Amino acid sequence: MEDLKAQINIAKLPEHIAVIMDGNGRWAKGRMQPRVFGHKNGVKAVREITEAAAELGVKYLTLYAFSTENWNRPSFEVNTLMRLLVDTIGREVKTLNKNNIRLNAIGDLSKLPTKTRKALLDGVERTKHNTRMDLVLALNYSGRWDILNATKTIAEKVARQEMKTEDITEATYKAALSTATFPDPDLMIRTSGETRLSNFLLWELSYAEFQFIPTLWPDFTKNHFYECILNYQNKERRFGMISEQLV
Ligand code: IPE
Ligand code: IPE
Ligand code: MG
């Protein structure tokens, strides 16, 4: 159904789309398979959505791949996820370069297994000159972790008298977050029917439009993605104002 894509108003595209890729485990369970089978099949959806976003002209795509809370899962699942990341990044760098997409990562990367961190930093390095779209992987990320980290950075600057308390503004705070170089998301999509944020981009999503869709992540296709963008384009973003002011 090419129609959905054709209906999208390219002039009103969300500049930044953030996605909570959820439902891999349930997808596998529904097929009587181990949870990691769902993660392996989720990679295809990552590829599809990255391609769809770049083709449309979206400038930033942030994908929640692993939260700080996900360490609490059984170690077999955590280890498989970490290995899957290494394999996937290694395999996809060529395609990212071909499509002119820059890879970025947010989160506490220092806690990742060495191999995973190396694969990631290698991917970031090898795609750093690309300009069409920024793909941001949130890995060992949580919104509260980032806010606390930013607070510490700012507190240290104030203590060293490099900054005054009155210089702490929305802009200087944003500059201390791991998302400093990315604009706030316009649209946040969560798959699998869950309607919570699970510690994702707490500062940055203050004025994003939310789309919660029932599809499990491995089943998420370009058409689902287009539908989310079309729904987004039918919303009126008032930013505290009233309709009549928005002409
Ligand atoms: C999302 O799918 C992937 C990660 C959190 C890494 P889940 O693994 O959370 O799948 P469900 O929610 O258990 O179905
Ligand atoms: C959020 O999904 C994290 C990622 C998608 C990486 P979870 O499946 O971990 O979230 P909860 O625990 O169900 O809220
Ligand atoms: Mg989940």
Side-chain angles (χ1 to χ4, degrees), residues 109-122:
L109 306 184
S110 71
K111 304 269 160 48
L112 295 174
T114 313
K115 271 191 186 164
T116 307
R117 191 176 56 252
K118 273 193 179 153
L120 190 65
L121 295 178
D122 180 60

Side-chain angles (χ1 to χ4, degrees), residues 2-152:
E2 192 63 17
D3 323 318
L4 284 178
K5 188 180 179 187
Q7 286 169 41
I8 294 173
N9 179 355
I10 296 302
K12 276 178 59 187
L13 216 53
E15 185 185 18
H16 184 174
I17 301 179
V19 185
I20 303 179
M21 311 185 286
D22 199 14
N24 293 351
R26 277 163 283 169
W27 186 90
K29 203 174 169 194
R31 285 161 179 76
M32 319 281 250
Q33 295 287 334
R35 293 179 52 85
V36 295
F37 183 67
H39 298 316
K40 285 173 190 157
N41 280 276
V43 176
K44 186 172 72 306
V46 173
R47 214 178 285 129
E48 282 251 311
I49 291 344
T50 304
E51 194 181 281
E55 281 168 359
L56 284 171
V58 171
K59 296 307 287 178
Y60 302 88
L61 177 68
T62 298
L63 303 177
Y64 203 6
F66 195 88
S67 74
T68 54
E69 288 78 24
N70 288 146
W71 294 112
N72 297 321
R73 293 189 177 195
S75 59
F76 174 73
E77 180 169 347
V78 171
N79 295 340
T80 307
L81 274 168
M82 290 301 150
R83 221 172 324 109
L84 194 61
L85 277 162
V86 178
D87 295 349
T88 307
I89 295 165
R91 227 178 312 112
E92 297 299 323
V93 166
K94 252 194 210 153
T95 314
L96 291 176
N97 279 330
K98 197 180 82 201
N99 292 326
N100 196 13
I101 298 168
R102 175 165 51 204
L103 182 68
N104 307 271
I106 54 171
D108 187 357
L109 306 184
S110 71
K111 304 269 160 48
L112 295 174
T114 313
K115 271 191 186 164
T116 307
R117 191 176 56 252
K118 273 193 179 153
L120 190 65
L121 295 178
D122 180 60
V124 170
E125 175 64 27
R126 285 164 62 197
T127 60
K128 69 177 180 192
H129 297 300
N130 296 339
T131 54
R132 185 185 186 195
M133 182 177 85
D134 276 287
L135 172 65
V136 185
L137 288 186
L139 259 176
N140 192 20
Y141 172 87
S142 83
R144 286 187 176 181
W145 163 82
D146 208 8
I147 288 172
L148 285 174
N149 228 23
T151 308
K152 285 180 203 161

